[in-house]
Amino acid sequence: MKTLAGRSSKLMAMNSTLSVIGCGYLGATHAACMSSLGFTVIGIDTDPNKVEMLSRGELPFYEPGLDTLLEQEIKSGRLTFTTDFSAVADADVHFVCVGTPQSKDGLAADLTYVRSAVSAIAPYLKEGALVVGKSTVPVGTAQSLRDQLAVTAPHADLAWNPEFLREGFAVEDTLTPNRLVVGVANDRAEEILKDVYSQIIALGTPWIRADLPTAELVKVAANSFLATKISFINAMAEVCEAAGGDVTVLAKAIGYDPRIGSRFLQAGIGFGGGCLPKDIRAFMARAEELGAKQALEFLREIDAINLRARQRVIDVVRSDLSENLTQYKIAVLGATFKPDSDDVRDSPALDIAAQLHAAGANVVVHDPKGIEPARKRFPNLSFAESVSECVKDADLILHLTEWREYRELDPSVIGQLVKNKIIIDGRNALDRDLWRSNGWKFHALGRTD
Ligand code: UGA
């Protein structure tokens, strides 16, 4: 078993048990990955159903590779899950991985779960324990939690270690991240985290020590930058449509400049998910509280461009079919916010499907992994278990999430199932020439011809 002992005299007494509070996407991944590094890991969640599933080695969501890792780590005996917060008493380092969703009444992040997680573990923290926040929080939260712990568990310390994992690549991003960022208030906290991550550091992973506010800001700055890149290219798509250009060629051409880079320049229906949309909004709300509102005003436009992309697809549908959509069957390929995930939180695809349904169209949605979560969110939508069933007699196909199986569709086969050969590629991911050569009317955002 890997041990924290021996690295620093202050850590000698530690027995290398970690706890992970909150076993959603981030927490379940972190728990399984830390266990795979040899640590004993206790995962805690307030949801008994989730704990039961995880304890059986079953993942409550879809994430490539994490299912087998979880099963393997449960079998190893190192990884356990419970709803009982007193179990953290055995651990030396505690990773807080609970959600920070958008508040119901505004743009700010809801910190209820983070605050209650820290309060719940405080009575059980042993001498020298380190609480490590991984959740995405507004700058200043870590210091306020550290102040809280100074009263409720003065023998413990708190650090912040933001997470940059992408859904679909969660295991890879956790075990081989492109950097490790730790916000600490002293050397001891940094040493403990270096011990925890020693195997990842040994791979040559850049290590960045920051103060608490900078570590919190790194996370929201990174997500804001990514959101900006996507909205930038979607703004260019709008201009291309107005000027008769092709955004895919434009993106390729500017992407060759290494200062710009080609990634995250895929124009289409924009970003969604549980992170980018809510993070830019919470960042704006926090900047305003701090008196720096103007600095992040541009993020309001990033958000607006992003939401406009959804509307633009609906406009193309109307111009292809009719203003009145009640006579038409629209087949929607994709419900999740991106491929290789079953996450439908703030999914642009599902939002578009729901808006078309609300406009009276007969909308049928297919997704390789996201049908059940999508049905829970929009029980009134119709779902199909197969692409053929989805597109059968359709007046128009909307390609909204770029799953590989959609890219591999044969337009001649699909053409025999539909009523009208019209397809709109909302992700600029299909082979336009191939579809057109099979007689399809093919539209894509940001490409005029
Ligand atoms: C994002 C960040 O990429 C991660 O680094 C971060 O850790 C994570 O949020 C988080 O805060 O937890 P994720 O939400 O998994 O990760 O999704 P992304 O891969 O960033 O994609 C976000 C959205 O942007 C998707 O809807 C995707 O379809 C869209 N997108 C992405 C585009 O429209 N165009 C692109 O070029 C790239």
Side-chain angles (χ1 to χ4, degrees):
M1 187 170 73
K2 184 179 162 57
T3 173
L4 291 173
R7 296 297 180 95
S8 138
S9 55
K10 285 192 181 144
L11 305 177
M12 289 295 281
M14 292 190 164
N15 69 1
S16 73
T17 296
L18 314 178
S19 85
V20 174
I21 325 298
C23 297
Y25 220 99
L26 170 59
T29 307
H30 196 65
C33 288
M34 291 300 108
S35 170
S36 77
L37 292 178
F39 293 104
T40 300
V41 181
I42 306 155
I44 301 190
D45 200 285
T46 51
D47 178 348
N49 294 329
K50 199 184 282 177
V51 164
E52 216 172 280
M53 273 188 88
L54 290 166
S55 301
R56 286 197 304 266
E58 287 171 29
L59 208 53
F61 50 86
Y62 174 70
E63 173 62 36
L66 184 57
D67 45 358
T68 42
L69 188 72
L70 175 74
E71 206 183 338
Q72 170 195 308
E73 294 312 309
I74 293 283
K75 278 195 187 133
S76 78
R78 286 187 299 268
L79 177 60
T80 51
F81 293 93
T82 176
T83 52
D84 179 4
F85 278 84
S86 71
V88 303
D90 292 333
D92 312 290
V93 181
H94 309 268
F95 290 98
V96 176
C97 297
V98 295
T100 51
Q102 186 173 335
S103 311
K104 291 195 172 61
D105 54 358
L107 296 186
D110 177 355
L111 295 178
T112 315
Y113 306 109
V114 176
R115 295 203 187 286
S116 63
V118 173
S119 302
I121 60 173
Y124 306 107
L125 295 176
K126 61 163 86 158
E127 184 69 37
L130 183 66
V131 177
V132 184
K134 288 191 85 63
S135 310
T136 303
V137 290
V139 60
T141 307
Q143 188 56 54
S144 80
L145 293 171
R146 197 161 182 269
D147 295 344
Q148 180 186 322
L149 274 186
V151 177
T152 55
H155 49 282
D157 193 7
L158 181 134
W160 217 261
N161 168 218
E163 180 58 57
F164 305 101
L165 70 79
R166 297 160 297 167
E167 295 190 13
F169 300 89
V171 174
E172 183 186 326
D173 286 351
T174 304
L175 291 174
T176 54
N178 45 31
R179 77 286 209 193
L180 284 163
V181 178
V182 295
V184 292
N186 50 56
D187 292 345
R188 181 180 179 278
E190 183 184 15
E191 284 308 310
I192 292 174
L193 284 165
K194 275 191 171 164
D195 276 331
V196 170
Y197 291 126
S198 62
Q199 294 168 71
I200 298 174
I201 295 169
L203 302 172
T205 310
W207 176 264
I208 295 161
R209 173 179 171 159
D211 52 31
L212 293 172
T214 306
E216 292 165 309
L217 283 170
V218 167
K219 169 69 192 200
V220 281
N223 276 1
S224 298
F225 193 86
L226 294 171
T228 301
K229 244 187 139 178
I230 299 167
S231 277
F232 173 83
I233 203 63
N234 283 335
M236 292 305 111
E238 288 186 40
V239 178
C240 281
E241 279 164 20
D246 184 330
V247 75
T248 61
V249 177
L250 182 147
K252 192 171 169 189
I254 63 172
Y256 277 118
D257 183 334
R259 294 170 303 172
I260 296 172
S262 59
R263 299 181 71 182
F264 268 65
L265 286 183
Q266 187 81 17
I269 57 171
F271 58 81
C275 304
L276 262 47
K278 68 122 171 123
D279 286 355
I280 60 168
R281 292 171 194 154
F283 199 13
M284 282 187 272
R286 184 65 184 133
E288 187 167 353
E289 283 170 9
L290 292 167
K293 181 177 177 204
Q294 213 180 348
L296 297 188
E297 269 302 317
F298 74 96
L299 288 178
R300 211 171 294 282
E301 195 53 40
I302 298 306
D303 203 4
I305 294 167
N306 191 51
L307 295 177
R308 210 152 61 220
R310 303 176 187 189
Q311 189 52 49
R312 281 169 41 232
V313 169
I314 294 170
D315 292 345
V316 181
V317 171
R318 285 192 198 280
S319 75
D320 271 337
L321 297 177
S322 150
E323 273 306 307
N324 181 349
L325 295 173
T326 51
Q327 306 294 319
Y328 298 100
K329 172 175 173 178
I330 298 174
V332 170
L333 298 182
T336 53
F337 84 106
K338 69 175 194 181
D340 296 318
S341 164
D342 63 359
D343 196 341
V344 297
R345 285 176 294 170
D346 204 348
S347 165
L350 209 46
D351 185 16
I352 290 164
Q355 288 194 51
L356 290 169
H357 171 77
N362 169 18
V363 178
V364 181
V365 182
H366 174 266
D367 192 277
K369 295 287 175 194
I371 291 182
E372 283 321 310
R375 204 198 300 275
K376 266 192 207 136
R377 199 155 282 224
F378 290 102
N380 293 335
L381 282 177
S382 300
F383 295 92
E385 293 298 326
S386 67
V387 172
S388 333
E389 185 193 336
C390 178
V391 302
K392 193 165 181 322
D393 298 327
D395 293 286
L396 182 144
I397 297 179
L398 271 178
H399 172 246
L400 299 183
T401 311
E402 68 278 34
W403 287 91
R404 205 171 91 182
E405 76 170 81
Y406 299 150
R407 284 202 304 274
E408 290 171 352
L409 288 174
D410 182 339
S412 66
V413 174
I414 300 297
Q416 284 161 19
L417 301 172
V418 295
K419 194 154 145 207
N420 284 325
K421 290 210 238 177
I422 308 175
I423 185 161
I424 302 173
D425 183 6
R427 290 295 184 180
N428 275 307
L430 301 177
D431 183 339
R432 182 175 65 176
D433 295 342
L434 179 69
W435 284 80
R436 283 193 176 158
S437 65
N438 279 281
W440 285 76
K441 187 171 172 192
F442 185 102
H443 290 300
L445 292 183
R447 304 178 84 182
T448 21
D449 76 326

